[in-house]
């Protein structure tokens, strides 16, 4: 019987290995009906025999069984155990299936890739049967397989279904909408009902799992019994917000006790029992008078090696040194001469003791003392960081040409707007016209007196030069080829209406010059400076001794003169027009006043802080101004910033004679009687929040001092970064970059 049973088991195993065992729709292995009946019959017979054997063993009847039967029974027991385990697994899976069918669950067929045992954790999920990992599937595009299983065998690709067949399958199948193509395993996966329900809940914004209750009732886990909580939740009574009558009585008692001195709040300071024997007795905190801080007196110098009764030999002076002390002044003579003694008993009394003590008492009593605050500042941090002059080129630094011809000091020079010609006026009563690039003197005009100032008309088509000499202003026609002769002759022709208006009450007298082709404007006092308006029709003349007529404004086209001021504050030095706006700058000895010509009122008053102003120049933009003085100082004013100087530069040792701005480059210069010209970089930014940048560039030398005077005037070229300087040595120099 046992041999037949073994044969049946082996046949069932072979059938299982040959594919007799087929997985059902739930993933549980199913056995064919014929194999199932054979296995059940064999197992029932083996169980009966095992039961009989066990019963016979229990009865103790072991004599009828031989040794051979014992060995065969052990082998049979092992086989039966294996069969029992396989059958138990099968029966358990079958029982679970029956239970699900009894409950009426409509669970769909699981995927073929799922295993029989599933874990609750996502980490324990069994991977798909394709084991290639995270390998791109396009690597297997040209291959016949899609990957490898756990045994390392190739997984062949399925044949692709025709599109018509796939379309018909989708239309005919009622559950085709649940199917998803798994590209990784090359199969179609059908979603279960639970998975579809989970997807719907996620799309609706709810919890995926239906069995989870997000609104479970609150479970109060804390034990409130015996805990210290308020006895009552009643609102605060009104009496707690009314001031207490009994507390007020207590406060009155305390106030009365403090006033009577029964309660002392400030306890007296206890004197320390111990003090420093060698400490400083002069404590500033303890010794104060009338709320003033006590300043301790300076301590006397402590004695050193020289005051010793037996000092070293090098401290004792020789007799020659002692004799030389007698020849010194009393202030330089040493007060104590060291001496050497063998013992302290031989030291005599100090003869200057009483005198020194008396002087010390006088110092403590009479000498005033003040506390000085010492600030530890790095001197280099106080110096502003400025760019290097090499980075600010071009600027004039080399003397390129010299213009010789005058026999007296050259007091004034002017460059025409085109930059081709240079005019100069001298104390030798001549005005010369120079060619700039060749230093050739083209023309000389001899006048009736020494020239004080010259100014070139800013218009290029008008070659007119204004010359001040004594009490006259000459408007000279230079007869240049660049000017319009008809317009110039028309402007310099005397107007008959002006001749009729001239009288004793006229401000000036307009007349034609006798010898020169010029128009003469005669003033009552000596004219020291002339400046043109940027349009070329108006010009000002300054005669400081003319009192109320010190500043006059002349119009060339109409040959009229106006006095814009009824009263002037101080002696006028010079006057200038604003480069673009209707403002007039009038410089007196200490102030610069800015007048609005349209409104006819004072606009600003610039406080220079100088003793005497000598010259003035305005930037081409009109918002910045520089002033030179007899103290050798230059004041830079930023009129948008303040009426006080933005920078004050002390660069000259003697009187500054002239200052000048360049019209195109960020340059300005100053000349003085010390025979030097200082060139500066002055950058003015369009941003109002950024201050102007002022950097000293070069100090130009070359003129010699004559009669106590050095360089009398300087001006820049109209277009190039060149500088002209005129000195008292009757030489004009051109400095180029």
């Amino acid at each position: 019987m046992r041999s037949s049973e073994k044969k049946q088991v082996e046949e069932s195993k072979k059938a299982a290995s040959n594919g007799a065992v087929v997985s059902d729709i739930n993933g549980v292995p199913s056995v064919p009906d014929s194999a199932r009946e054979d296995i059940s019959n064999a197992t029932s017979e083996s169980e009966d025999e095992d039961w009989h054997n066990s019963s016979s063993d229990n009865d103790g009847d072991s004599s009828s069984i031989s040794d051979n039967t014992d060995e065969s029974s052990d082998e049979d027991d092992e086989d039966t155990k294996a069969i029992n385990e396989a059958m138990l697994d099968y029966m358990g899976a079958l029982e679970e299936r029956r239970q699900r069918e009894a409950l009426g669950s409509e669970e769909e067929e699981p995927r073929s890739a799922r295993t029989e045992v599933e874990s609750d954790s996502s980490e324990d999920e069994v991977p798909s049967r394709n084991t290639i990992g995270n390998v791109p599937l396009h690597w297997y595009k040209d291959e016949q397989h899609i990957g490898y299983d756990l045994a390392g065998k190739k997984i062949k690709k399925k044949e692709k279904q025709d599109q018509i067949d796939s379309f018909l399958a989708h239309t005919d199948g009622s559950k085709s909408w649940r199917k998803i193509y798994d590209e990784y395993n090359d199969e179609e996966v059908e979603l279960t009902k639970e998975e579809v329900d989970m997807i719907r809940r996620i799309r609706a914004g709810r919890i995926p799992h239906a069995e989870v209750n997000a609104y479970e009732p609150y479970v109060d886990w804390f034990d409130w019994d015996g805990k210290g909580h308020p006895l009552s939740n009643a609102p605060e009574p009104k009496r707690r917000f009314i001031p207490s009558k009994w507390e007020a009585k207590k406060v009155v008692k305390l106030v009365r006790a403090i006033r009577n001195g029964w309660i002392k709040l400030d306890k007296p300071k206890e004197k320390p029992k111990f003090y420093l024997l060698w400490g400083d007795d002069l404590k500033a905190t303890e010794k104060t008078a009338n709320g003033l801080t006590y300043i301790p007196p300076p301590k006397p110098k402590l004695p050193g090696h020289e005051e010793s009764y037996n000092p070293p030999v090098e401290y004792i002076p020789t007799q020659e040194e002692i004799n030389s002390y007698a020849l010194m002044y009393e202030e330089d003579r040493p007060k104590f001469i060291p001496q050497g003694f063998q013992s302290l008993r031989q030291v005599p009394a100090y003869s200057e003791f009483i005198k020194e003590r008396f002087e010390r008492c006088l110092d403590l009593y009479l000498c005033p003392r003040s506390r000085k605050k010492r600030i530890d500042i790095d001197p280099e941090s106080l110096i502003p960081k400025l760019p290097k002059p090499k980075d600010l080129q071009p600027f004039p630094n080399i003397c390129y040409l010299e213009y010789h011809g005058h026999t007296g000091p050259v007091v004034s020079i002017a460059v025409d707007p085109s930059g081709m010609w240079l005019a100069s006026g001298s104390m030798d009563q001549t005005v010369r016209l120079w060619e700039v690039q060749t230093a050739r003197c083209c023309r000389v005009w001899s006048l009736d007196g020494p020239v004080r100032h010259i100014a070139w008309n800013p218009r290029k088509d008008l070659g007119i030069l204004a010359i001040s000499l004594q009490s006259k202003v000459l408007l000279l026609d230079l007869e240049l080829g660049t000017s319009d002769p008809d317009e110039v002759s028309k402007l310099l022709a005397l107007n008959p209406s002006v001749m009729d208006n001239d009288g004793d009450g006229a401000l000036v007298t307009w007349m034609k010059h006798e010898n020169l082709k010029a128009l003469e404007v005669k003033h009552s006092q000596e004219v020291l400076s002339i400046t043109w308006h940027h349009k070329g029709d108006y010009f000002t003349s300054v005669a400081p001794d003319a009192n109320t007529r010190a500043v006059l404004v002349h119009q060339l086209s109409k040959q009229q003169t106006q006095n814009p001021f009824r009263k002037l504050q101080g002696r006028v030095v010079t006057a200038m027009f604003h480069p673009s706006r209707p403002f007039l700058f009038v410089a007196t000895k200490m102030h610069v006043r800015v007048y609005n010509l349209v409104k006819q009122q004072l606009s600003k008053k610039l406080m220079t802080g100088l003793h005497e102003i000598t010259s003035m120049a305005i930037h081409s933009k009109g918002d910045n101004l520089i002033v030179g003085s007899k103290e050798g100082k230059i004041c830079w004013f930023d009129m948008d910033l303040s009426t006080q100087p933005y920078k004050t530069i002390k660069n000259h040792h003697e009187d500054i004679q002239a200052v000048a701005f360049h019209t195109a480059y960020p340059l300005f210069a100053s000349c003085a009687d010390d025979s030097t010209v200082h060139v500066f970089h002055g950058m003015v930014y369009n941003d109002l929040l950024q201050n102007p940048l002022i950097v000293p560039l070069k100090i130009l030398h070359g003129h010699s001092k004559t009669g106590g005077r050095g360089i009398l005037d300087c001006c820049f070229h109209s277009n190039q970064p060149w500088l002209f300087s005129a000195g008292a040595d009757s030489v004009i120099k051109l400095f180029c970059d």
Side-chain angles (χ1 to χ4, degrees):
M1 182 64 186
R2 291 183 181 275
S3 60
S4 63
E5 293 174 358
K6 290 180 180 180
K7 289 180 181 180
Q8 291 178 358
V9 172
E10 290 176 359
E11 289 176 0
S12 63
K13 289 182 179 179
K14 288 179 182 180
S17 62
N18 292 330
V21 180
V22 183
S23 299
D24 64 351
I25 59 174
N26 292 322
V28 181
S30 61
V31 184
D33 297 335
S34 60
R36 192 182 302 169
E37 292 177 359
D38 296 338
I39 293 171
S40 61
N41 294 332
T43 51
S44 61
E45 292 176 359
S46 60
E47 287 175 359
D48 294 337
E49 289 183 5
D50 291 338
W51 181 79
H52 288 297
N53 291 333
S54 61
S55 62
S56 63
D57 291 337
N58 292 331
D59 293 337
D61 191 5
S62 61
S63 60
S64 61
I65 303 171
S66 61
D67 296 334
N68 295 331
T69 56
D70 293 336
E71 294 175 0
S72 62
S73 64
D74 295 335
E75 295 177 358
D76 296 338
D77 292 338
E78 292 177 359
D79 296 337
T80 54
K81 287 180 181 179
I83 295 170
N84 290 334
E85 290 175 358
M87 291 303 299
L88 288 173
D89 294 338
Y90 171 74
M91 296 301 292
L94 189 61
E95 186 64 20
E96 289 178 0
R97 179 183 175 187
R98 291 174 180 174
Q99 290 178 1
R100 286 197 298 270
E101 291 177 354
L103 293 173
S105 63
E106 296 179 3
E107 206 172 39
E108 302 298 330
E109 291 183 4
R111 305 171 190 174
S112 60
R114 295 183 181 177
T115 57
E116 296 177 3
V117 181
E118 293 183 354
S119 174
D120 295 336
S121 176
S122 62
E123 297 179 355
D124 297 333
E125 290 180 0
V126 178
S128 304
R129 58 186 180 85
N130 194 355
T131 59
I132 59 173
N134 293 328
V135 174
L137 294 178
H138 64 83
W139 289 5
Y140 296 93
K141 183 177 180 181
D142 299 329
E143 302 294 337
Q144 296 181 357
H145 60 284
I146 197 172
Y148 301 90
D149 57 3
L150 291 173
K153 296 181 180 180
K154 295 181 180 180
I155 302 175
K156 293 184 179 181
K157 294 182 180 179
K158 295 181 180 180
E159 294 182 359
K160 292 186 178 180
Q161 195 176 6
D162 190 9
Q163 294 184 359
I164 297 175
D165 297 335
S166 61
F167 174 74
L168 294 175
H170 280 287
T171 54
D172 296 337
S174 60
K175 298 181 180 179
S176 60
W177 60 275
R178 291 189 182 184
K179 293 182 180 180
I180 299 174
Y181 176 68
D182 186 6
E183 187 180 7
Y184 190 80
N185 291 310
D186 193 18
E187 64 179 0
E188 284 190 353
V189 180
E190 187 172 348
L191 300 177
T192 61
K193 185 178 180 181
E194 289 79 10
E195 292 173 346
V196 173
D197 188 32
M198 188 182 296
I199 292 171
R200 287 175 178 171
R201 295 178 67 85
I202 291 172
R203 293 182 66 182
R206 293 180 293 172
I207 297 174
H209 301 281
E211 61 271 17
V212 177
N213 186 9
Y215 305 99
E216 292 184 356
Y218 175 71
V219 178
D220 193 2
W221 53 270
F222 188 81
D223 186 14
W224 300 91
D225 298 337
K227 302 298 184 293
H229 285 277
L231 298 177
S232 174
N233 289 330
E236 293 287 337
K238 187 177 180 181
R239 63 178 178 274
R240 295 188 183 179
F241 298 95
I242 299 174
S244 176
K245 179 172 59 178
W246 305 105
E247 289 180 358
K249 290 183 178 180
K250 288 183 179 180
V251 171
V252 170
K253 288 183 180 180
L254 292 174
V255 171
R256 189 180 301 164
I258 292 172
R259 288 177 179 175
N260 295 334
W262 301 335
I263 299 176
K264 294 182 178 181
L265 301 177
D266 298 332
K267 295 182 179 179
K269 295 182 179 180
E270 296 181 359
K271 295 183 178 181
K273 297 180 181 179
F274 309 100
Y275 61 92
L276 294 175
L277 181 62
W278 303 108
D280 188 7
D281 295 335
L282 303 173
K283 293 184 179 180
T285 56
E286 296 180 359
K287 296 185 178 182
T288 56
N290 299 327
L292 301 176
T293 304
Y294 176 74
I295 303 175
K299 294 182 179 180
K301 183 182 177 182
L302 297 177
H305 294 291
E306 295 179 352
E307 286 79 8
S308 175
Y309 74 94
N310 191 13
V313 181
E314 58 268 16
Y315 287 96
I316 300 175
T318 61
Q319 189 62 34
E320 296 178 356
E321 293 176 350
I322 294 174
N323 296 334
S324 64
Y325 293 160
L327 302 176
M328 295 182 179
Y329 291 103
E330 187 176 358
E331 299 89 23
D332 301 333
R333 191 181 306 162
K335 296 181 180 180
F336 178 77
I337 298 175
Q339 296 179 0
F341 300 96
Q342 296 296 328
S343 63
L344 193 60
R345 289 178 295 176
Q346 299 177 1
V347 178
Y350 183 47
S351 58
E352 302 290 336
F353 176 76
I354 297 176
K355 182 180 178 181
E356 287 187 0
R357 291 296 96 188
F358 179 71
E359 290 179 351
R360 173 70 176 172
C361 291
L362 289 179
D363 291 343
L364 297 177
Y365 174 63
L366 297 176
C367 294
R369 296 187 293 273
S370 61
R371 189 181 299 275
K372 293 183 179 180
K373 293 183 179 181
R374 294 183 179 180
I375 303 174
D376 189 9
I377 299 176
D378 186 11
E380 295 182 357
S381 63
L382 300 177
I383 302 174
K385 294 182 180 179
L386 299 176
K388 296 181 180 179
K390 293 182 180 180
D391 301 335
L392 302 176
Q393 291 180 350
F395 58 86
N397 53 13
I398 298 174
C399 181
Y400 182 69
L401 286 176
E402 292 185 359
Y403 302 82
H404 295 273
H406 285 286
T407 58
V410 183
V411 296
S412 180
I413 54 177
V415 184
D416 81 310
S418 64
M420 296 175 60
W421 309 99
L422 173 68
S424 61
S426 174
M427 299 294 289
D428 59 0
Q429 302 182 6
T430 61
V431 173
R432 292 177 179 266
L433 182 65
W434 310 84
E435 191 176 2
V436 172
Q437 295 185 357
T438 61
R440 182 173 62 90
C441 182
C442 299
R443 198 165 180 182
V444 180
W445 290 273
S446 297
L447 305 176
D448 300 336
V451 178
R452 291 294 183 181
H453 193 262
I454 61 174
W456 209 300
N457 193 296
R459 287 179 57 180
K460 293 182 180 180
D461 57 343
L462 297 179
I464 299 176
L465 185 67
I467 306 169
S468 68
L469 66 158
Q470 296 178 354
S471 61
K472 302 176 184 178
V473 175
L474 294 181
L475 301 175
L476 181 63
D477 183 9
L478 299 177
E479 299 179 358
L480 300 175
T482 58
S483 60
D484 188 1
D486 297 335
E487 188 174 359
V488 172
S489 60
K490 182 180 179 181
L491 290 173
L492 297 182
L494 187 62
N495 193 351
S497 61
V498 176
M499 298 175 62
D500 300 336
N501 295 332
D502 291 343
D504 296 336
L507 297 174
V508 295
T509 304
W510 294 75
M511 60 176 47
K512 194 72 176 175
H513 197 272
E514 297 177 356
N515 301 325
L516 302 175
K517 191 178 180 180
L519 194 64
E520 183 178 333
V521 183
K522 191 173 181 179
H523 294 66
S524 60
Q525 298 293 334
E526 185 179 9
V527 180
L528 296 182
S529 67
I530 309 167
T531 54
W532 286 92
H533 191 263
H534 67 279
K535 291 185 178 180
D537 190 20
Y538 292 90
F539 66 94
T540 62
S541 61
V542 176
D545 297 331
N547 297 329
T548 58
R549 299 181 180 182
V551 180
L552 299 177
V553 179
H554 310 276
Q555 187 177 5
L556 179 59
S557 60
K558 296 182 179 180
Q559 297 180 6
Q560 294 180 356
T561 303
Q562 299 177 5
N563 184 10
F565 306 106
R566 294 181 180 177
K567 184 179 180 181
L568 291 171
Q569 303 291 334
R571 182 180 174 85
V572 180
V573 177
T574 182
M576 298 184 73
F577 286 103
H578 192 277
S580 58
R581 301 174 64 185
F583 287 101
L584 180 65
F585 294 80
V586 178
T588 58
K589 282 191 174 183
M590 299 180 63
H591 304 96
V592 178
R593 290 176 173 84
V594 185
Y595 294 94
N596 191 332
L597 298 177
V598 176
K599 297 181 180 179
Q600 298 182 359
Q601 63 182 9
L602 179 65
S603 178
K604 285 183 181 180
K605 182 181 179 181
L606 305 180
M607 312 298 292
T608 61
L610 303 174
H611 293 296
E612 187 172 353
I613 298 173
T614 58
S615 56
M616 178 175 60
I618 304 174
H619 194 266
S620 59
K621 294 183 178 180
D623 294 332
N624 293 270
L625 175 78
I626 54 174
V627 176
S629 68
K630 287 190 175 182
E631 308 164 44
K633 294 181 180 180
I634 296 176
C635 291
W636 178 296
F637 286 92
D638 188 352
M639 289 182 287
D640 291 336
L641 183 66
S642 173
T643 57
Q644 299 293 331
Y646 166 66
K647 287 279 187 183
T648 301
I649 306 170
K650 179 72 170 70
N651 54 335
H652 291 281
H653 302 292
E654 297 186 23
D655 299 351
I656 294 176
Q657 296 296 332
V659 291
F661 266 114
H662 200 292
T663 57
Y665 290 88
L667 298 172
F668 70 95
S670 64
C671 61
D673 286 338
D674 55 2
S675 300
T676 60
V677 179
H678 290 246
V679 183
F680 296 86
H681 175 86
M683 175 60 75
V684 177
Y685 300 95
N686 294 326
D687 187 5
L688 297 178
L689 299 177
Q690 192 169 2
N691 295 328
L693 176 64
I694 302 173
V695 181
L697 296 177
K698 188 72 176 179
I699 300 176
L700 303 176
H701 302 271
H703 290 275
S704 60
K705 201 169 184 178
T706 304
R709 306 190 71 182
I711 301 176
L712 303 179
D713 194 10
C714 65
C715 68
F716 281 99
H717 192 272
S718 304
N719 306 321
Q720 301 295 332
W722 300 345
L723 179 67
F724 298 92
S725 63
D729 54 356
S730 69
V731 180
I732 303 171
K733 293 181 180 292
L734 170 61
F735 296 92
C736 298
D737 53 340

